[in-house]
Amino acid sequence: MKSLRWRLLATLGIAIFVLWSSMAAWMFTSIRRELISVLDDRLIASTRMVAGIVQQFSHEQIQSASVPGKHVDLTSVIARDGVACEVSLVRAEVELLPLARTENSPGFDSLQGTGFGRIDKGGKLWRTYVLEENGIRIATADRIDVREGLVQSFAYAMVLPFAMALLGLLAITWWACTKGLEPLRRLQHTLAKRPPQDGTPIEDGRDIEELAPMVNSLNALLLRMNAAIEHERRWTADAAHELRTPLTAIKTHVQVTQLLVQRELKLMPGQSCLAAEQIQQSLEYTMSGITHMHDTLEQLLMLARVESGSALDTRKLSGIAIVGAFERACEQSQQHAAEQGHTAQLQAHVSPGAQQDWQSWQVALPAPLLVCAVSNLVDNALRHHQGQEPVTAHLELQEQAGQVCISIRDHGPGMSQAECEQALRRFWRKNPSSQGSGLGLTIVQRIVDSVQGHLTVQPAPGGGLMVHLHLPVVLCQSAECAA
């Protein structure tokens, strides 16, 4: 993902580095040239200073210094700042008689003419300057590597503050970007915590000029979404009313017809009884289809309400009400299975001590939705159960994980792992001719998603199916627990 903070930091860092580097290179070249010029001027000044001092000696003293055994202490006038110097008496155009020199003098015999030059002694290059006045030749020199060392020291003195300033500027830029993007982070945090059914306008960021247009656009989008959801709710309610009414009427007429046919069966003897029995069987098939259609309609309406958020509210289920909703869902499923002729038994139990432990816990789900989720799971288990062993439903509080776990185990034909992954798709059924609408697990999944829980469907050891429903729980306040 692209980061505005990193992009801004990289842009500023590269721009500052390029600009400062260009200025530093220009300044370094210019100052290096000036520094070399200053060092050359120092050689000239040193040479002229020595020449001025030498001129203070008389001609006789200078001539006597050239006589063997004689000596004039001219070294005391040589500067002690690393500049080598040599004073020589010019006897002829090619003959020089040294009068005095510093200990580090490289020897200037190879130099020809006056002015600046360069000599090599012991692998070291020297910058030289020669001056001749009144038969006296004065040569000064300093090492070029010492000069370059001074230049490098100056370069290091420039680079270190530059690097520290660049790092400091990048750190300040990072801090400024972080503070500048703080309203975006707050807006993102607000949107992340916002429940799906909340359609109120967003207030964060409306006081910031750059964010206000985006926040206003989000609020306009929320208004359009709320209008669309409200339109869907009204359409769902109207459709439910229009579909329930004719289905109820058809179901009533079929039931009345069944009663009449049963009465005729008792009164009509002989072959007419066979036709009446066929009519009775057709009516039973018709009633079964109507019941299936009615159940599918109810499931569709529940799914539409859950997905649109109309079935959700902010109420929370706390205390032993969680246990009560679980037990109520199991009783309803057992009764519904008996009405449909299923003989499977259900064993529902709660983990020991749960009713006492759960006094301080609550789940962010209203009781009707919890009952709906559990009953859908138990209905599926009872419908597909086989054998003599009962269906088991277990409720457990997992305090360390901060969740409630509801486990449903049946001993039916079961499903493969691939089929378990497809079971959460709407209208999916392993056997298309079997009972059910294929919406039960989909409804449970939507209910679980509304509270950030999770639903797992997996094959059970030894056959059958195991379904685990995990719902997060939080500690409730004393007033909420009491309620």
Side-chain angles (χ1 to χ4, degrees):
M1 295 177 63
K2 296 180 180 179
S3 172
L4 293 177
R5 182 188 291 110
W6 280 109
R7 179 181 297 180
L8 181 59
L9 186 66
T11 302
L12 289 176
I14 293 173
I16 294 171
F17 179 79
V18 171
L19 291 175
W20 282 18
S21 298
S22 302
M23 294 182 61
W26 175 75
M27 292 176 61
F28 175 75
T29 303
S30 177
I31 295 178
R32 183 178 185 274
R33 185 170 56 251
E34 294 294 331
L35 182 60
I36 292 176
S37 177
V38 169
L39 294 175
D40 287 344
D41 292 341
R42 185 182 69 164
L43 285 178
I44 297 174
S46 300
T47 303
R48 293 189 180 279
M49 181 183 66
V50 173
I53 296 175
V54 171
Q55 293 300 326
Q56 296 179 9
F57 292 91
S58 65
H59 183 71
E60 290 76 9
Q61 289 176 318
I62 295 175
Q63 291 295 330
S64 63
S66 61
V67 178
K70 301 286 184 175
H71 176 69
V72 177
D73 190 9
L74 297 179
T75 59
S76 61
V77 300
I78 303 301
R80 295 176 295 174
D81 56 357
V83 177
C85 183
E86 182 181 277
V87 180
S88 303
L89 179 63
V90 180
R91 285 188 169 185
E93 293 182 357
V94 294
E95 183 180 0
L96 298 175
L97 178 63
L99 299 178
R101 67 172 58 178
T102 57
E103 295 180 358
N104 62 340
S105 177
F108 302 92
D109 298 338
S110 60
L111 292 175
Q112 299 295 331
T114 60
F116 288 102
R118 180 176 295 190
I119 60 175
D120 187 353
K121 180 183 179 183
K124 302 292 185 180
L125 290 176
W126 292 73
R127 175 75 165 171
T128 64
Y129 180 76
V130 178
L131 176 66
E132 290 186 10
E133 288 185 353
N134 301 322
I136 301 298
R137 186 174 185 265
I138 302 171
T140 57
D142 57 6
R143 285 170 47 180
I144 294 180
D145 59 341
V146 176
R147 287 190 172 202
E148 294 298 330
L150 292 175
V151 174
Q152 291 179 2
S153 298
F154 176 76
Y156 292 150
M158 289 182 59
V159 169
L160 184 59
F162 166 75
M164 295 181 63
L166 180 61
L167 293 177
L169 185 59
L170 291 179
I172 294 174
T173 304
W174 175 268
W175 176 81
C177 291
T178 302
K179 296 297 291 183
L181 294 175
E182 180 66 20
L184 276 178
R185 191 196 65 81
R186 290 198 303 267
L187 180 61
Q188 182 270 334
H189 186 64
T190 300
L191 293 176
K193 295 195 306 180
R194 193 180 186 88
Q197 66 274 14
D198 187 1
T200 58
I202 301 172
E203 298 297 333
D204 288 342
R206 300 185 70 176
D207 56 340
I208 300 176
E209 183 177 356
E210 289 77 11
L211 283 182
M214 183 180 69
V215 174
N216 293 333
S217 298
L218 283 174
N219 289 333
L221 178 61
L222 286 176
L223 289 176
R224 293 194 297 270
M225 290 178 60
N226 291 337
I229 292 174
E230 185 61 30
H231 179 269
E232 182 180 352
R233 290 175 181 175
R234 289 195 301 268
W235 183 89
T236 302
D238 295 340
H241 177 74
E242 294 297 329
L243 290 175
R244 282 171 176 168
T245 301
L247 278 178
T248 303
I250 293 173
K251 186 175 182 179
T252 302
H253 288 298
V254 171
Q255 290 174 345
V256 171
T257 305
Q258 284 181 321
L259 293 175
L260 293 176
V261 171
Q262 290 176 359
R263 189 181 66 179
E264 292 298 326
L265 284 175
K266 296 179 182 179
L267 299 176
M268 295 176 60
Q271 295 182 353
S272 299
C273 183
L274 179 60
E277 290 177 354
Q278 293 177 349
I279 294 173
Q280 178 70 17
Q281 188 176 10
S282 294
L283 291 174
E284 290 178 357
Y285 290 153
T286 303
M287 180 60 69
S288 177
I290 293 173
T291 303
H292 176 73
M293 183 179 295
H294 185 271
D295 293 340
T296 302
L297 174 62
E298 293 295 331
Q299 295 281 55
L300 282 172
L301 293 175
M302 175 56 71
L303 180 61
R305 288 196 296 269
V306 171
E307 290 185 340
S308 65
S310 60
L312 303 178
D313 54 34
T314 58
R315 291 178 299 169
K316 297 180 180 180
L317 200 60
S318 58
I320 60 175
I322 301 175
V323 180
F326 170 77
E327 294 176 345
R328 185 162 65 255
C330 292
E331 292 175 0
Q332 292 178 2
S333 297
Q334 183 72 71
Q335 182 179 0
H336 187 253
E339 293 175 353
Q340 293 184 344
H342 299 295
T343 58
Q345 298 298 316
L346 174 65
Q347 287 186 355
H349 55 278
V350 182
S351 58
Q355 293 190 7
Q356 289 76 23
D357 297 338
W358 287 359
Q359 292 289 346
S360 57
W361 295 92
Q362 61 181 187
V363 61
L365 198 66
L369 288 185
L370 180 59
V371 171
C372 176
V374 176
S375 62
N376 271 285
L377 297 178
V378 177
D379 286 344
N380 284 338
L382 292 174
R383 184 183 303 113
H384 299 96
H385 184 75
Q386 297 175 355
Q388 300 299 322
E389 295 188 22
V391 174
T392 59
H394 181 67
L395 175 65
E396 181 183 5
L397 172 64
Q398 300 174 350
E399 295 188 22
Q400 293 183 351
Q403 64 182 8
V404 170
C405 180
I406 300 174
S407 303
I408 312 295
R409 168 74 157 87
D410 65 62
H411 298 274
M415 294 186 294
S416 64
Q417 187 61 44
E419 291 173 336
C420 289
E421 294 177 357
Q422 298 182 27
L424 299 180
R425 296 168 49 191
R426 62 179 65 189
F427 299 112
W428 185 88
R429 288 181 292 175
K430 181 178 180 180
N431 184 5
S433 61
S434 63
Q435 296 180 356
S437 60
L439 293 173
L441 291 178
T442 304
I443 294 174
V444 177
Q445 181 67 59
R446 297 298 185 271
I447 294 175
V448 170
D449 290 343
S450 67
V451 292
Q452 288 76 47
H454 61 277
L455 174 68
T456 58
V457 181
Q458 58 188 15
L465 203 64
M466 176 70 75
V467 181
H468 297 285
L469 179 63
H470 300 273
L471 299 174
V473 293
V474 294
L475 286 172
C476 61
Q477 303 298 328
S478 56
E480 295 177 344
C481 294

